[in-house]
């Protein structure tokens, strides 16, 4: 994966996790659960992609 693509994914991941944290600090009754689950899924997927690409770039 090219560095540009990885950089874009990393930036999107940061934005997603900021949105998750903003949603998480709301009182429980005000949290939009479908939005929260979508953001958590997207954040987890992006973190997984970043982690995999970083491990692939390690010299073994």
């Amino acid at each position: 994966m090219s560095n540009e693509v990885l950089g874009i994914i990393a930036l999107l991941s940061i934005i997603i996790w900021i949105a998750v944290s903003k949603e998480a600090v709301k009182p429980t009754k005000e949290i939009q659960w479908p939005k929260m689950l979508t953001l958590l899924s997207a954040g987890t997927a992006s973190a997984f992609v970043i982690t995999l690409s970083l491990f692939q770039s390690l010299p073994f």
Side-chain angles (χ1 to χ4, degrees):
M1 187 176 303
S2 70
N3 288 338
E4 293 82 17
V5 173
L6 187 58
I8 292 170
I9 292 172
L11 185 60
L12 289 174
S13 183
I14 291 168
I15 292 169
I16 290 168
W17 286 111
I18 289 171
V20 168
S21 66
K22 285 185 178 183
E23 191 70 22
V25 297
K26 292 180 181 178
T28 305
K29 292 183 179 182
E30 293 180 18
I31 294 176
Q32 298 173 5
W33 289 106
K35 178 181 176 182
M36 180 67 128
L37 291 174
T38 302
L39 288 170
L40 283 171
S41 299
T44 302
S46 66
F48 185 70
V49 168
I50 293 168
T51 304
L52 278 181
S53 67
L54 290 174
F55 272 113
Q56 287 178 348
S57 69
L58 289 175
F60 287 111

